[in-house]
Amino acid sequence: MTQADIGLIGLAVMGQNLVLNMNDHGYTVAVYNRTTSKVDEFLDGPAKGTKVIGAHSLKDLISQLKRPRRVMLMVKAGEPVDNFIEQCLPYLEKGDILIDGGNSLFTDTNRRCNSLKEKGIIFIGTGISGGEEGARHGPSIMPGGNPEGWPHIKEIFQSISAKVEGEPCCDWVGDQGAGHYVKMVHNGIEYGDMQLISEAYYLLKEALHLNQNELYQVFADWNKGDLDSYLIEITSKIFKVNDEDGKPLVDKILDVAGQKGTGKWTVINALDLGMPLTLIGEAVFARCLSALKDERVAASELLKGPDAKFEGNREEFIQAIREALYSSKIISYTQGFMLMQQAAAEYKWQLNYGAIALMWRGGCIIRSQFLGKIKEAFKLNPNLKSLLLDEYFLQEIQKRQKGWRKVVSKSVELGIATPCFNTALVFYDGYRTAKLPANLLQAQRDFFGAHTYERGDRARGQYFHTDWSGTGGKVSSGSYNA
């Protein structure tokens, strides 16, 4: 019987394309799908003429694998992953490897990694980005979990991943759920990038009244410079597509954005870790606001904004929007990498931030020229606390700041909502401020709740309480940080 190098469960579009990618690189893949007719359809269709082996049961699939057996799950996150793990276990032996390539929550991966280790099974949680095109021709792959499994999957994963300057966009991320965590943050940044681009488009369309061809040209031009990225590229292409009546298709799409939850997970985790992930948070909330379509339509008849029109040089304002987009993008990635650094400290992971930037440099949805600059920043200083403190990003923010502020103030003046441009600037101004008004906030907390405070003229770690009203006494509540 022919022995396969790896087995894959789940023949939706991502699973099928990964199988074909592996086949192209010389690996024999055995496949199984819960609806077994999909196996036959795949073998008679896209996989016809390949070395792909079909299986109509999990027992049959696993029996055809070389040892240690490598089984990859490409199924819906959550309960389906747990169900397939349980179904596979009777046919696996100590040292076999289970790989979850879906968008699983990192805490689920932590749990699975620990429980399967007790059974002698090596579990890998792998983030994969790039959509169906990436899966077929070279995705960004972010593996984490039990490090004992990495030597057994490294060759396959790095061979099928995207390459940038000859280097694979795949490397070991870290223990337990680190791979899925980094993919989660990637998705959160993706939310931010898409919202920022949408806000730039909205200003160009609503404030400057650019037509379809002008919008195409602006984004095509932006894609030739420092904003060169997959998302800017596809945005320009969107403006070239007309509906059957010859009018722009994008104008006919309902302004209600969907989401699958990974952006929300990122924001929830940021709150858990006490990190100011404000831009991605606003990107998630912008999608939530878009979902209130009926309420917005009704409110538009009642709630009035400023009666103002753009006056000024259009070309200068287009350049200012470009500067606001790039500056805000810097803030988004700054916050994302700050979150990963905090997570590494909290979960005791050893994350290589330059390698993560390289993994995102190609194959994935947020791939861009910009990520090469992040890789360089962490190469120069592996302990860099914030991208804003890197010389390149510091200079870029400084020279673009005037245009950025102009865009934010003008959007407020015109009554055009640009939540991510705005919150990015607010974060920047807060981050560069040595003394914030939190001293008054702490005084308020101590006044009404005796929560205590530290003093700027005393050593950190000493807590004080004041009887502000003269009737509160000297007893304070316990100090804590949420």
Side-chain angles (χ1 to χ4, degrees):
M1 181 183 291
T2 302
Q3 286 199 313
D5 298 297
I6 189 170
L8 187 139
I9 298 168
L11 291 175
V13 64
M14 286 290 288
Q16 288 193 20
N17 284 336
L18 282 172
V19 169
L20 295 173
N21 189 349
M22 291 178 192
N23 180 82
D24 289 347
H25 286 84
Y27 298 103
T28 301
V29 187
V31 300
Y32 170 78
N33 195 81
R34 186 178 59 180
T35 305
T36 54
S37 60
K38 276 198 170 184
V39 175
D40 299 326
E41 291 169 7
F42 181 54
L43 295 178
D44 292 336
K48 192 170 185 177
T50 68
K51 298 187 297 180
V52 177
I53 303 168
H56 290 140
S57 70
L58 288 173
K59 181 178 181 181
D60 183 24
L61 175 87
I62 294 170
S63 70
Q64 300 189 66
L65 303 179
K66 297 175 183 177
R67 288 179 169 80
R69 301 178 182 94
R70 293 169 285 200
V71 180
M72 188 166 187
L73 302 172
M74 292 300 298
V75 300
K76 186 177 179 181
E79 190 176 345
V81 176
D82 289 318
N83 290 341
F84 271 111
I85 289 173
E86 289 302 314
Q87 293 172 48
C88 287
L89 283 177
Y91 311 114
L92 298 175
E93 299 174 354
K94 186 176 181 180
D96 286 343
I97 301 159
L98 274 172
I99 307 158
D100 174 16
N103 266 336
S104 289
L105 183 59
F106 77 98
T107 50
D108 286 341
T109 305
N110 289 345
R111 169 177 55 80
R112 291 164 185 151
C113 196
N114 292 334
S115 64
L116 287 169
K117 188 173 184 180
E118 294 175 359
K119 297 178 172 66
I121 304 299
I122 297 170
F123 188 73
I124 304 292
T126 297
I128 301 175
S129 179
E132 55 185 282
E133 180 186 344
R136 182 66 185 87
H137 301 292
S140 170
I141 305 178
M142 297 153 261
N146 187 331
E148 294 177 28
W150 179 229
H152 300 288
I153 63 171
K154 179 178 180 179
E155 182 183 309
I156 297 177
F157 278 12
Q158 291 194 335
S159 66
I160 69 170
S161 72
K163 309 294 187 300
V164 174
E165 298 174 356
E167 294 186 75
C169 295
C170 170
D171 203 354
W172 184 251
V173 175
D175 294 343
Q176 297 192 320
H180 274 139
Y181 186 92
V182 168
K183 174 58 163 52
M184 178 189 77
V185 175
H186 163 284
N187 285 17
I189 289 174
E190 180 183 306
Y191 274 55
D193 274 355
M194 294 173 73
Q195 178 64 25
L196 288 169
I197 293 169
S198 296
E199 290 177 16
Y201 149 72
Y202 200 51
L203 283 168
L204 293 169
K205 189 172 188 295
E206 297 298 319
L208 301 181
H209 306 292
L210 267 60
N211 62 35
Q212 179 185 15
N213 289 330
E214 289 172 323
L215 288 167
Y216 161 75
Q217 195 59 58
V218 166
F219 280 93
D221 289 344
W222 287 357
N223 197 48
K224 296 173 185 175
D226 44 30
L227 284 171
D228 175 12
S229 65
Y230 173 72
L231 285 170
I232 293 288
E233 177 189 352
I234 68 169
T235 300
S236 69
K237 291 179 178 179
I238 285 169
F239 295 124
K240 295 288 285 184
V241 178
N242 292 325
D243 200 6
E244 294 176 354
D245 61 2
K247 295 180 180 179
L249 178 58
V250 67
D251 290 346
K252 298 187 177 183
I253 296 175
L254 188 68
D255 58 323
V256 174
Q259 53 182 317
K260 291 188 174 180
T262 47
K264 179 179 72 174
W265 291 348
T266 313
V267 177
I268 290 171
N269 180 254
L271 291 169
D272 287 340
L273 296 182
M275 295 302 294
L277 200 76
T278 55
L279 194 146
I280 294 172
E282 285 291 353
V284 173
F285 289 134
R287 295 195 186 193
C288 296
L289 181 60
S290 79
L292 303 178
K293 177 65 175 177
D294 293 341
E295 292 180 47
R296 288 189 289 112
V297 170
S300 69
E301 299 295 325
L302 300 172
L303 306 178
K304 302 303 177 184
D307 185 17
K309 294 181 180 180
F310 176 81
E311 296 178 356
N313 186 299
R314 288 205 331 166
E315 294 305 316
E316 287 182 2
F317 195 58
I318 290 172
Q319 179 60 26
I321 294 171
R322 178 178 185 158
E323 291 172 347
L325 179 55
Y326 195 74
S327 299
S328 300
K329 186 181 177 79
I330 292 173
I331 298 300
S332 182
Y333 284 71
T334 294
Q335 292 181 353
F337 275 84
M338 287 171 68
L339 177 62
M340 287 190 288
Q341 288 173 319
Q342 185 65 26
E346 178 73 18
Y347 307 128
K348 297 178 174 56
W349 293 334
Q350 298 295 320
L351 300 183
N352 183 329
Y353 305 105
I356 290 169
L358 175 62
M359 280 185 269
W360 294 350
R361 180 72 174 82
C364 67
I365 303 302
I366 65 171
R367 60 184 181 267
S368 65
Q369 182 186 90
F370 176 87
L371 284 154
K373 298 296 184 182
I374 296 178
K375 181 179 182 296
E376 291 173 14
F378 282 105
K379 184 178 180 179
L380 286 171
N381 181 5
N383 298 315
L384 184 67
K385 293 296 183 184
S386 166
L387 291 176
L388 294 176
L389 305 179
D390 172 73
E391 187 64 26
Y392 168 80
F393 291 110
L394 187 154
Q395 290 181 4
E396 288 298 301
I397 286 281
Q398 293 295 346
K399 72 182 183 183
R400 298 167 190 271
Q401 188 177 153
K402 184 177 180 180
W404 186 15
R405 293 185 184 279
K406 180 179 181 179
V407 167
V408 170
S409 60
K410 184 61 70 173
S411 68
V412 173
E413 181 184 324
L414 297 174
I416 296 175
T418 55
C420 283
F421 282 166
N422 294 19
T423 198
L425 185 56
V426 168
F427 174 85
Y428 174 76
D429 283 337
Y431 190 75
R432 68 178 184 82
T433 300
K435 187 171 182 178
L436 292 168
N439 56 321
L440 176 58
L441 190 150
Q442 281 298 92
Q444 292 169 333
R445 293 179 74 241
D446 191 53
F447 191 113
F448 66 69
H451 290 299
T452 74
Y453 54 86
E454 294 178 275
R455 293 177 61 111
D457 57 354
R458 306 288 175 86
R460 293 293 302 271
Q462 297 182 60
Y463 292 90
F464 302 87
H465 168 59
T466 295
D467 180 7
W468 299 89
S469 65
T471 59
K474 297 182 178 181
V475 178
S476 64
S477 71
S479 297
Y480 61 92
N481 289 308

